Amino acid sequence: MKLTWLTDIHLDFLELDARAAFYQEILNTNSDAILISGDIAHATCLVDILNEIANVIQKPIYFVLGNHDYYKGQVSEVRKSILAQTQIHDRLFWLPALGIQKLTPNTILIGQDGWADGRLGDYQNSNVTLRDSRMITDLFQAKTLGKYQLLEKMQQLADADALQLHNDLIKAVAQHPQQIIVLTKNELIKFLQF
């Protein structure tokens, strides 16, 4: 199976003609399916952009969301709309909601959204503020309470996604595939088992 991997495509910054040219480049790869590892478009146009891609490409699109996909939105509402759309559109597969996907008899795909969690570096003394705390409603609300409430919210989101990925990976390994592909925000990891 031939896969095309896309990441950080930010299609909301492109006009329709530029997106059409991009989709043609994807079609030119002659792949069997598309993998997108986050940052597709901001929340207000994410569903429309995903539908547009799926309708043009006409191939399965497996994806996870990145932080920018939640911009101008609320985490629960974005997830609710994406879940509803993947239940309607037969070519859109949001991996966190669907769990293990068997691409071939010997290849499993799993994936999970990704979040910054402030665990690396020196969060306490850093002057850096991610745009996430201004652009994602949940994080903005946490930030208004204070720097440590924001950190706690970011870690809750990251921990929940990490736990789900851990559980999916255990289930995938238990099926004894020859390979497991893990799609996360900005990452594509391939595990081979023999």
Side-chain angles (χ1 to χ4, degrees):
M1 173 177 245
K2 184 177 179 182
L3 302 170
T4 295
W5 174 39
L6 309 171
T7 189
D8 287 280
I9 53 181
H10 296 279
L11 294 176
D12 50 320
F13 291 113
L14 297 178
E15 297 296 329
L16 183 57
D17 289 346
R19 291 196 309 269
F22 179 67
Y23 302 151
Q24 187 57 54
E25 289 294 321
I26 295 168
L27 288 168
N28 291 344
T29 67
N30 294 315
S31 58
D32 300 303
I34 311 302
L35 306 178
I36 306 176
S37 55
D39 289 355
I40 301 161
H42 60 74
T44 59
C45 62
L46 179 60
V47 168
D48 293 337
I49 296 273
L50 281 168
N51 282 328
E52 182 181 272
I53 298 170
N55 291 335
V56 172
I57 302 296
Q58 298 286 312
K59 296 177 186 198
I61 299 172
Y62 300 93
F63 66 97
V64 298
L65 301 178
N67 56 324
H68 289 261
D69 299 312
Y70 293 96
Y71 277 21
K72 301 182 182 179
Q74 185 173 5
V75 173
S76 62
E77 291 302 313
V78 170
R79 289 178 172 174
K80 185 177 165 184
S81 67
I82 291 300
L83 181 58
Q85 195 56 38
T86 58
Q87 291 171 343
I88 294 169
H89 206 297
D90 64 348
R91 288 188 192 94
L92 292 174
F93 300 91
W94 182 40
L95 294 172
L98 299 173
I100 294 172
Q101 298 294 301
K102 240 181 178 176
L103 297 180
T104 71
N106 295 312
T107 302
I108 289 177
L109 172 66
I110 60 174
Q112 194 61 48
D113 300 348
W115 293 95
D117 63 10
R119 289 190 172 103
L120 291 177
D122 185 5
Y123 183 85
Q124 291 80 3
N125 296 310
S126 176
N127 293 325
V128 175
T129 302
L130 295 175
R131 290 188 69 210
D132 298 10
S133 65
R134 294 188 310 273
M135 300 295 290
I136 302 171
T137 303
D138 309 70
L139 298 182
F140 178 76
Q141 291 169 345
K143 182 185 178 207
T144 61
L145 298 175
K147 183 174 184 173
Y148 294 100
Q149 287 78 7
L150 172 61
L151 176 63
E152 182 180 341
K153 183 63 177 176
M154 290 169 25
Q155 289 179 347
Q156 287 171 357
L157 291 166
D159 289 348
D161 285 352
L163 179 61
Q164 183 61 46
L165 182 61
H166 175 264
N167 292 339
D168 285 347
L169 191 53
I170 288 172
K171 291 175 191 172
V173 168
Q175 293 187 24
H176 306 289
Q178 288 180 348
Q179 57 184 338
I180 299 170
I181 300 170
V182 180
L183 189 67
T184 64
K185 168 73 169 79
N186 298 338
E187 303 269 348
L188 177 67
I189 304 164
K190 186 168 144 181
F191 295 100
L192 298 175
Q193 293 182 303
F194 301 101

